[in-house]
């Protein structure tokens, strides 16, 4: 069975963007960006909610030729990676993407059962739909040194707790990685 990872840059108070929806405070330095590039190579399928897909599609397929090599590398990785985009409002997607407009939970169950690689989920709303069903196997929090005071929470309110086990901490110059697996 494929492993599903939910990872995001998160503020100290638990938000993935600020009240205006900005993620400008998450810009990784070169060390962290290279870590993300290397990690992304191992991902078999990337799952996106509509907002994250639109944000990524606005930039990564169009990285300027004079952009830093690390950004050009990620742009090539992102456009080439198979993606599943979950949206009821989009009518089409591009860059090696498949659009799914119904029943994200069942589609993710099917994708997990079809192989033994790694899937990642991006987007707090999509992850919030999957978390209560026990579909997330690993949480990767890139804790940034900022308190936002509001925005989109990384994790949803839940009816029951989910027990986790810390498996790794890693210090980067601009963030801490905290990796947890479901207990």
């Amino acid at each position: 069975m494929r492993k599903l990872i939910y990872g995001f840059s998160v503020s100290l108070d638990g938000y993935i963007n600020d009240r205006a929806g900005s993620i400008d405070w998450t810009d990784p330095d070169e060390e962290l960006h290279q870590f993300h590039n290397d990690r992304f190579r191992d991902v078999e399928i990337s799952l996106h909610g509509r907002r994250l897909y639109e944000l990524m599609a606005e930039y990564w397929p169009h990285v300027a030729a004079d952009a830093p090599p690390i950004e050009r590398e990620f742009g090539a990785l992102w456009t080439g990676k198979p993606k599943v985009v979950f949206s009821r409002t989009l009518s089409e997607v591009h860059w090696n993407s498949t659009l799914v407009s119904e029943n994200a939970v069942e589609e993710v169950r099917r994708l997990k059962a079809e192989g033994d690689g790694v899937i990642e989920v991006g987007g707090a709303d999509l992850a919030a739909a999957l978390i209560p069903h026990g579909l997330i196997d690993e949480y990767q929090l890139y804790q940034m040194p900022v308190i936002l005071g509001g925005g989109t929470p990384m994790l949803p309110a839940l009816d029951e707790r989910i027990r986790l086990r810390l498996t790794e901490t890693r210090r980067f110059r601009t963030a801490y990685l905290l990796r947890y697996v479901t207990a």
Side-chain angles (χ1 to χ4, degrees), residues 30-94:
E30 190 169 306
E31 174 194 31
L32 184 54
H33 207 307
Q34 187 62 59
F35 179 82
H36 284 308
N37 287 11
D38 295 341
R39 178 195 58 77
F40 196 65
R41 272 187 201 78
D42 294 334
V43 171
E44 190 177 349
I45 302 169
S46 187
L47 310 178
H48 289 51
R50 178 192 54 83
R51 280 181 282 192
L52 180 63
Y53 172 77
E54 289 178 331
L55 182 70
M56 301 291 275
E58 183 178 304
Y59 184 75
W60 292 112
H62 315 288
V63 175
D66 63 346
I70 203 162
E71 289 187 24
R72 293 193 315 270
E73 177 186 28
F74 187 80
L77 289 167
W78 187 83
T79 55
K81 185 69 60 182
K83 292 170 284 301
V84 178
V85 180
F86 295 88
S87 173
R88 291 188 178 100
T89 58
L90 292 176
S91 59
E92 63 180 9
V93 292
H94 306 282

Side-chain angles (χ1 to χ4, degrees), residues 23-177:
I23 60 169
D24 61 355
W25 51 274
T26 67
D27 285 341
D29 63 11
E30 190 169 306
E31 174 194 31
L32 184 54
H33 207 307
Q34 187 62 59
F35 179 82
H36 284 308
N37 287 11
D38 295 341
R39 178 195 58 77
F40 196 65
R41 272 187 201 78
D42 294 334
V43 171
E44 190 177 349
I45 302 169
S46 187
L47 310 178
H48 289 51
R50 178 192 54 83
R51 280 181 282 192
L52 180 63
Y53 172 77
E54 289 178 331
L55 182 70
M56 301 291 275
E58 183 178 304
Y59 184 75
W60 292 112
H62 315 288
V63 175
D66 63 346
I70 203 162
E71 289 187 24
R72 293 193 315 270
E73 177 186 28
F74 187 80
L77 289 167
W78 187 83
T79 55
K81 185 69 60 182
K83 292 170 284 301
V84 178
V85 180
F86 295 88
S87 173
R88 291 188 178 100
T89 58
L90 292 176
S91 59
E92 63 180 9
V93 292
H94 306 282
W95 303 289
N96 205 18
S97 302
T98 302
L99 180 62
V100 174
S101 58
E102 298 293 326
N103 207 335
V105 170
E106 288 309 312
E107 180 65 15
V108 171
R109 280 189 179 127
R110 184 185 69 74
L111 289 169
K112 285 184 71 168
E114 284 184 342
D116 60 2
V118 175
I119 304 173
E120 74 164 7
V121 59
D125 290 341
L126 178 57
L130 304 176
I131 290 170
H133 297 278
L135 292 171
I136 308 293
D137 301 299
E138 183 175 315
Y139 295 82
Q140 295 181 359
L141 287 70
Y142 297 87
Q143 187 100 55
M144 306 300 279
V146 62
I147 297 172
L148 298 175
T152 303
M154 180 175 181
L155 301 168
L158 297 169
D159 293 332
E160 297 179 25
R161 37 179 99 141
I162 299 172
R163 298 238 181 243
L164 303 173
R165 183 173 46 84
L166 180 64
T167 60
E168 180 183 2
T169 60
R170 181 170 175 179
R171 183 174 188 254
F172 296 93
R173 286 186 294 278
T174 56
Y176 276 93
L177 165 62

